[in-house]
Amino acid sequence: MTEITDMETIPGESNNQLALTTPEAQPIKRRKKKSMVWEYFTIENVSAGCRRAYCKRCKQSFAYSTGSKVAGTSHLKRHIAKGTCRALLRGQGQDNNQFITPYNPKMGGSEPPKRRYRSPSSPFIPFDQDRCRHEIARMIIMHEYPLHIVEHPGFIAFVQNLQPQFDKMSFNTVQGDCVATYLREKQSLMNFIEGIPGRFCLTLDMWSSNQTLGYVFITGHFVDSDWKLHRRVFNVVMEPYPDSHTALSHAIAACLSDWSLEGKLFSLTFNHPLSEAGLENLRPLLCVQNPLILNGQLLIRNCIARTMSSMAKDVLGVGQEIIKKIRDSVKYVKMSESHDDKFIQVKNQLQVPSEKSLFLDNQTQWNTTYQMLAAASELKEVFDCLDTYDPDYKLAPSMEDWKLAETLCSFLKPLFDAASILTTTTLPTVITFFYEVWKIHVDLGRSITSEDPFISNLAKSMQEKIDKYWKDCSLVLAMAVVMDPRFKMKLVEFSFTKIYGEDAPTYIKTVDDGIHELFLEYVALPLPLTPTYAEEVNGANNGKTNESHQGNLLSDHGLADFDVYIMETNSQQMKSELDQYLEESLLPRVQEFDVLGWWKLNKMKYPTLSKMARDILSIPVSAAATESIFDITDKQLDEYRSSLRPETVEALICAKDWLHYGSDDVSNALVKMEF
């Protein structure tokens, strides 16, 4: 039986040149080579039994086969795909464009690669200097690397080993690339917010620096046309005199102008204490550039995170001696592996049920001190008995010390629970914090009546601060609750009765009058329709499915007399949208509720009220960044960043925020409340 062997047709060879492996010449079944390498190479015989592959572009030769040994194609793929073929990089040769593949956004990055060469096994991307520079800029922005990293010897050596063709970059080059990335992302964000149908709320957070300069972080909060709540850093404005009365007003004016927000501002929330002189300097600016809503009663807000941090500082201040004792005990256990082992041994023998672990606190963040105290208090029995197993331990707090620590924890826990809501991934609405602030207010009211002078005095100090916040912000918090169809005015009435007692009707009437007055302002002075909102309304009201004669019938000319007839025959005055909404039954109180989603579904039923709800529910309660919620010290820009130009600092910080969130990052605005 004759053996037939499959042979590959080698490009550049004729059939009569093929070497047969069978003793007799037999018909050969040929198959076309599948590797795309052969689009770039040809095979030539150089001697008996020796063949080499020649690059069609640069004519360089490579080993292919010697006798029965075949070298394969991996080294040929590297030649065309790793950038070593100079002629290919210069764009010489034919068919260079036929392997371009469409850009896939899932690959990441803002710009598509110029060209992608594919093989059956793996993709290859030829070296692209511009793309590498772009990605280095994104890397520096996203991970806050110093711009000088591109000049560091270690970075240069790494890149040269990774890609020898990469040109070295200077500080000025990468700085320009980072600013270019910022400008591209800024234009994208500006295009996005042009279609926002409602107003914007701003939060201001003042940072300091070693050079006594101030940096005002301005963040915008808004609800888009799909009723999703967004938060984006708009500006970082350097203020040479941060303590001046004009510092914040200058920063706000710069932001309004930069983003074309004149006439669209709804509220301001400050993380930095605002003096009376600063407030007086700010109001004229806002009156000129922005129509005041409800005579400015909703305009200026305080930051709830800073209020709670200030209250926590009061607790830590009065308990600093016992906190130091417990911290020293925890330090003794955690600073030695043998001490830690003995502590665990005692805990197991005593069968203490606590699952909490000891750790040292970060004294710049009050939540870590609270968690350290809470964990140590649950393990106090272990500390009390530790000296019997470890004679070197002589730091055990007394029973009175532990009792005091538990009292401190009882004051810190409600603050910790409320502040933790601000660290969630979704953006909490004002509705949530009406209930949280009310709970803290009521709890402190009970503590003031305690017979223990320590508890009573501490509660009074804390209540002064929560009272100030409640006085400044209770109206907007209450209005937000009214915009929740699960609560409306009922929760306001219930809560105010608990706080104000017999005086509650006066405060309840203030909220009711305020929300009716605000509604009338929205009726009389509706917001200018943005293109997005106009299309939304026109799409619902001006459908072309009706016959043309129906448009004439429903015009003002056709039914003008009918409107007069309705007014004359209607025995009861028509209620406003707001009154209809308030009189309807409350929705079931589920734990998670998409309040913005509800208004999205009911915007046609309540066209004016929904616009008012959109703006109220976009008001933020905190001006602090998520990682700064528990800080008890002012934020300070590091020495390196404060040495950069103010424009570069703004570019790096804003671009990082925009790249982090992306265009699709939105919140479901879920409101969680438990009773």
Side-chain angles (χ1 to χ4, degrees):
M1 181 175 180
T2 304
E3 179 182 355
I4 300 177
T5 304
D6 286 353
M7 295 291 293
E8 293 181 343
T9 302
I10 307 301
E13 293 185 340
S14 59
N15 291 345
N16 57 6
Q17 293 176 315
L18 294 175
L20 302 180
T21 59
T22 57
E24 301 176 2
Q26 298 291 341
I28 298 173
K29 183 180 178 181
R30 301 179 179 88
R31 59 184 175 88
K32 187 178 180 181
K33 281 186 174 296
K34 295 181 179 180
S35 176
M36 299 182 74
V37 167
W38 304 115
E39 298 290 338
Y40 300 90
F41 287 89
T42 182
I43 302 298
E44 296 183 12
N45 290 334
V46 295
S47 64
C50 179
R51 293 181 295 174
R52 293 185 67 83
Y54 285 84
C55 177
K56 295 179 181 180
R57 272 69 177 177
C58 66
K59 305 305 179 183
Q60 185 177 351
S61 69
F62 298 85
Y64 180 69
S65 67
T66 303
S68 61
K69 185 178 180 181
V70 179
T73 59
S74 297
H75 61 307
L76 307 182
K77 293 176 183 177
R78 287 194 293 270
H79 177 69
I80 63 171
K82 298 296 185 180
T84 57
C85 180
R86 302 288 182 177
L88 185 60
L89 289 177
R90 291 195 300 267
Q92 297 178 356
Q94 301 176 357
D95 304 328
N96 278 354
N97 295 326
Q98 69 180 22
F99 302 110
I100 297 176
T101 57
Y103 171 60
N104 182 359
K106 294 182 180 180
M107 294 172 57
S110 301
E111 296 179 353
K114 290 184 175 179
R115 188 171 295 131
R116 175 180 290 271
Y117 297 90
R118 299 173 297 176
S119 72
S121 57
S122 61
F124 295 101
I125 304 177
F127 173 66
D128 185 338
Q129 175 79 19
D130 292 338
R131 175 143 182 110
C132 289
R133 285 178 49 182
H134 172 70
E135 292 301 333
I136 286 176
R138 284 171 54 88
M139 176 192 73
I140 289 174
I141 291 170
M142 293 175 66
H143 303 291
E144 299 186 6
Y145 297 138
L147 297 177
H148 286 95
I149 191 175
V150 297
E151 297 178 345
H152 293 172
F155 179 83
I156 294 173
F158 169 73
V159 172
Q160 285 181 341
N161 280 278
L162 192 66
Q163 176 50 261
Q165 292 185 326
F166 183 77
D167 295 335
K168 294 181 181 179
M169 299 176 64
S170 66
F171 170 87
N172 290 333
T173 300
V174 76
Q175 180 177 234
D177 290 345
C178 289
V179 172
T181 300
Y182 157 76
L183 293 175
R184 282 194 300 268
E185 296 296 332
K186 181 177 182 179
Q187 186 59 52
S188 176
L189 181 57
M190 292 187 75
N191 294 340
F192 176 64
I193 68 174
E194 282 181 0
I196 298 302
R199 294 180 183 268
F200 291 77
C201 300
L202 300 180
T203 56
L204 286 85
D205 187 9
M206 177 74 82
W207 289 36
S208 61
S209 71
N210 291 335
Q211 292 85 356
T212 67
L213 300 173
Y215 293 84
V216 185
F217 285 59
I218 305 179
T219 305
H221 303 253
F222 53 93
V223 176
D224 66 15
S225 56
D226 196 36
W227 292 82
K228 302 298 182 182
L229 185 60
H230 293 258
R231 174 177 58 194
R232 295 290 185 277
V233 176
F234 278 170
N235 294 93
V236 178
V237 183
M238 191 272 284
E239 290 294 336
Y241 305 102
D243 296 327
S244 67
H245 302 317
T246 60
L248 292 177
S249 59
H250 170 262
I252 293 171
C255 178
L256 296 179
S257 175
D258 193 19
W259 295 89
S260 301
L261 298 181
E262 293 88 349
K264 300 179 182 179
L265 183 63
F266 190 70
S267 80
L268 296 167
T269 302
F270 292 92
N271 194 26
H272 186 73
L274 191 63
S275 64
E276 287 298 325
L279 185 61
E280 292 301 319
N281 187 275
L282 180 61
R283 286 192 180 277
L285 165 72
L286 298 176
C287 290
V288 172
Q289 297 192 2
N290 203 79
L292 293 181
I293 300 295
L294 202 61
N295 197 28
Q297 295 182 66
L298 307 181
L299 183 61
I300 307 297
R301 308 264 63 77
N302 293 325
C303 173
I304 185 62
R306 292 285 71 81
T307 299
M308 291 190 292
S309 291
S310 178
M311 296 167 66
K313 284 178 67 175
D314 289 345
V315 178
L316 300 181
V318 298
Q320 58 183 346
E321 293 184 4
I322 178 56
I323 292 174
K324 184 180 185 306
K325 288 183 180 180
I326 294 177
R327 183 182 293 120
D328 289 342
S329 291
V330 174
K331 185 184 298 184
Y332 178 85
V333 173
K334 302 305 294 183
M335 291 299 103
S336 169
E337 186 175 351
S338 62
H339 295 170
D340 197 13
D341 291 341
K342 290 179 181 179
F343 187 87
I344 295 175
Q345 182 182 356
V346 176
K347 176 186 174 184
N348 293 336
Q349 289 188 0
L350 295 176
Q351 297 182 348
V352 177
S354 175
E355 297 296 329
K356 293 184 177 180
S357 301
L358 293 178
F359 67 93
L360 280 173
D361 61 331
N362 174 2
Q363 297 182 47
T364 64
Q365 294 194 311
W366 63 267
N367 62 311
T368 63
T369 304
Y370 160 69
Q371 291 169 318
M372 180 187 71
L373 291 177
S377 296
E378 289 192 10
L379 297 167
K380 61 183 178 181
E381 296 177 8
V382 184
F383 283 104
D384 291 339
C385 299
L386 184 60
D387 57 352
T388 60
Y389 291 82
D390 186 355
D392 294 333
Y393 175 68
K394 305 181 185 303
L395 303 171
S398 66
M399 293 303 296
E400 288 298 319
D401 291 336
W402 287 118
K403 182 179 178 181
L404 181 59
E406 291 172 355
T407 300
L408 297 178
C409 288
S410 68
F411 279 102
L412 291 172
K413 187 179 187 305
L415 300 178
F416 173 77
D417 292 341
S420 295
I421 299 174
L422 296 172
T423 63
T424 57
T425 53
T426 55
L427 306 180
T429 62
V430 240
I431 301 171
T432 310
F433 275 86
F434 175 87
Y435 182 62
E436 295 297 331
V437 174
W438 170 71
K439 282 196 304 182
I440 294 173
H441 200 289
V442 172
D443 290 344
L444 290 175
R446 296 194 192 102
S447 298
I448 288 176
T449 61
S450 172
E451 296 180 357
D452 187 332
F454 176 83
I455 295 177
S456 178
N457 292 335
L458 178 56
K460 288 179 182 177
S461 173
M462 296 174 67
Q463 192 175 51
E464 289 179 4
K465 296 182 177 180
I466 201 68
D467 276 346
K468 183 179 186 308
Y469 179 84
W470 183 258
K471 178 182 177 182
D472 294 338
C473 303
S474 60
L475 179 60
V476 71
L477 293 174
M479 285 186 172
V481 168
V482 176
M483 292 294 100
D484 190 324
R486 298 173 298 169
F487 305 112
K488 302 182 182 180
M489 283 295 298
K490 294 299 182 182
L491 182 58
V492 176
E493 296 166 0
F494 172 79
S495 303
F496 279 23
T497 300
K498 295 287 185 180
I499 294 176
Y500 299 114
E502 296 180 354
D503 297 331
T506 302
Y507 293 95
I508 294 171
K509 186 176 185 302
T510 300
V511 175
D512 188 69
D513 292 345
I515 202 161
H516 277 84
E517 182 181 343
L518 180 61
F519 175 75
L520 292 177
E521 288 191 31
Y522 272 77
V523 172
L525 299 172
L527 294 176
L529 290 182
T530 63
T532 301
Y533 191 79
E535 292 174 5
E536 189 177 278
V537 174
N538 292 336
N541 296 335
N542 297 334
K544 297 183 179 180
T545 57
N546 297 330
E547 299 295 334
S548 59
H549 69 274
Q550 291 179 335
N552 295 330
L553 176 64
L554 297 179
S555 66
D556 292 339
H557 299 290
L559 291 178
D561 294 339
F562 177 72
D563 293 334
V564 176
Y565 171 77
I566 290 295
M567 295 178 62
E568 292 176 348
T569 58
N570 199 352
S571 58
Q572 184 179 6
Q573 184 179 5
M574 296 180 65
K575 293 184 175 64
S576 68
E577 291 177 31
L578 177 59
D579 290 331
Q580 292 180 44
Y581 166 77
L582 293 176
E583 291 180 6
E584 289 181 352
S585 301
L586 301 180
L587 293 184
R589 194 174 68 249
V590 295
Q591 184 175 1
E592 294 187 356
F593 179 69
D594 186 355
V595 61
L596 289 174
W598 187 88
W599 282 105
K600 177 183 178 181
L601 294 175
N602 290 271
K603 63 186 176 183
M604 301 309 298
K605 182 178 181 180
Y606 304 112
T608 302
L609 189 60
S610 64
K611 288 193 288 185
M612 187 174 84
R614 184 201 300 267
D615 293 340
I616 291 176
L617 296 176
S618 67
I619 296 178
V621 291
S622 172
T626 303
E627 64 275 9
S628 306
I629 296 299
F630 298 101
D631 286 354
I632 54 178
T633 57
D634 293 335
K635 295 295 291 185
Q636 189 174 58
L637 205 66
D638 60 73
E639 185 175 353
Y640 172 75
R641 291 219 164 175
S642 57
S643 69
L644 300 174
R645 295 185 306 175
E647 298 83 1
T648 303
V649 173
E650 181 176 47
L652 294 173
I653 294 174
C654 292
K656 179 187 176 183
D657 179 76
W658 303 336
L659 291 173
H660 170 73
Y661 284 103
S663 59
D664 296 327
D665 179 71
V666 294
S667 166
N668 291 327
L670 294 178
V671 180
K672 299 181 180 180
M673 303 181 76
E674 296 180 359
F675 291 85

